[in-house]
Amino acid sequence: MWNKDKSIILSAVIIKMIYAAIAVCCVAAPFLVRYYDESVVIPRGESSVFLPLLVTLYCIVPPAVTAMVSLDMLLANIRKGQPFISRNVTLLRIISYCCFAVSVLFIYFSFLKPFGFAIVFAAAFFGVILRVVKNCFEQAVALREENDLTV
Amino acid sequence: MAIIVNLDVMMAKRKISSNELAEKIGITPANLSVLKTGKAKAVRFSTLEKLCEVLACQPGDILEYRDGE
């Protein structure tokens, strides 16, 4: 039977898988970008995007890792039964800033390849959604504190 | 906060301990401490009713409004 504990475990497993995917991408990025460049970009007669794409990918690693660590900490707090604490509001704020950072970092690449715009838009969109969720959590923290201090 | 809780004054007048009062009104000593130290953000009418009943007093004897605090 599916329950909230299993759901949290599934989220934790997905986070660990994304950690592994980031690590693999860090090692394999030059090969993957070279493959994309040689098999998709150059055959079309377009100029190589190897360097800008590789630099962009390595630049988004710090915000991606920061977002994943924050997400892991958020999930750990939820597992401890503390979803509505001010620390979680800070973590959500950090994750939203990471999304905005990815969006900004992809702006240059989006001028080279149109699909970059999709990444810029998607990252900014996630950032905005997370900010709204953060605002909800902020209200929830205030309500919980008021409830805790009602005798 | 402008609302002052004079619970400790009433408790001293009635010579009742915190633990005894908490037990009689059915709240935890920790919650009573929150109320006594003025950290509480709200008091339920049911709690206030029991406090008045046990301490044999009026709500005004426990709660006081002071301007500008």
Side-chain angles (χ1 to χ4, degrees):
Chain A
M1 191 72 180
W2 192 250
N3 56 35
K4 70 178 176 72
D5 291 332
K6 284 179 184 171
S7 176
I8 289 173
I9 290 168
L10 177 66
S11 301
V13 169
I14 292 170
I15 287 172
K16 300 290 181 286
M17 284 165 70
I18 294 174
Y19 274 133
I22 291 172
V24 169
C25 283
C26 281
V27 177
F31 308 105
L32 293 171
V33 174
R34 174 77 65 198
Y35 175 76
Y36 168 73
D37 204 36
E38 287 176 354
S39 62
V40 178
V41 180
I42 293 170
R44 284 183 187 165
E46 295 169 1
S47 56
S48 170
V49 291
F50 178 78
L51 198 63
L53 183 55
L54 193 66
V55 170
T56 306
L57 286 179
Y58 278 122
C59 282
I60 65 165
V61 170
V65 171
T66 307
M68 292 317 295
V69 170
S70 302
L71 212 52
D72 211 5
M73 289 163 85
L74 181 66
L75 199 63
N77 287 339
I78 292 169
R79 282 176 102 162
K80 280 189 265 178
Q82 300 172 325
F84 303 119
I85 54 173
S86 52
R87 176 82 185 128
N88 288 350
V89 174
T90 310
L91 290 170
L92 282 168
R93 185 185 293 123
I94 291 169
I95 299 167
S96 79
Y97 285 154
C98 289
C99 288
F100 288 127
V102 169
S103 179
V104 168
L105 287 167
F106 255 95
I107 285 175
Y108 173 70
F109 184 74
S110 67
F111 286 109
L112 302 175
K113 284 281 157 197
F115 75 80
F117 274 117
I119 298 169
V120 170
F121 180 77
F125 189 65
F126 278 126
V128 172
I129 290 174
L130 281 167
R131 275 203 71 78
V132 173
V133 172
K134 184 217 75 157
N135 292 339
C136 283
F137 263 66
E138 231 164 10
Q139 288 277 339
V141 169
L143 285 171
R144 188 194 61 84
E145 276 173 5
E146 192 170 308
N147 191 47
D148 285 352
L149 292 173
T150 297
V151 182
Chain B
M1 205 200 260
I3 301 291
I4 308 296
V5 181
N6 291 321
L7 193 58
D8 45 356
V9 177
M10 281 311 296
M11 283 168 67
K13 280 183 185 172
R14 301 290 182 255
K15 295 184 176 64
I16 188 168
S17 72
S18 291
N19 284 339
E20 193 184 346
L21 181 63
E23 197 182 319
K24 280 185 175 173
I25 61 176
I27 64 170
T28 62
N31 271 346
L32 186 67
S33 173
V34 166
L35 191 58
K36 274 175 69 184
T37 51
K39 288 178 188 165
K41 292 204 173 183
V43 184
R44 288 189 191 93
F45 276 161
S46 57
T47 308
L48 193 58
E49 189 184 323
K50 282 175 192 163
L51 276 170
C52 292
E53 188 186 319
V54 173
L55 295 172
C57 64
Q58 292 298 312
D61 296 327
I62 301 168
L63 302 175
E64 180 192 344
Y65 173 73
R66 269 187 221 164
D67 198 15
E69 276 196 34

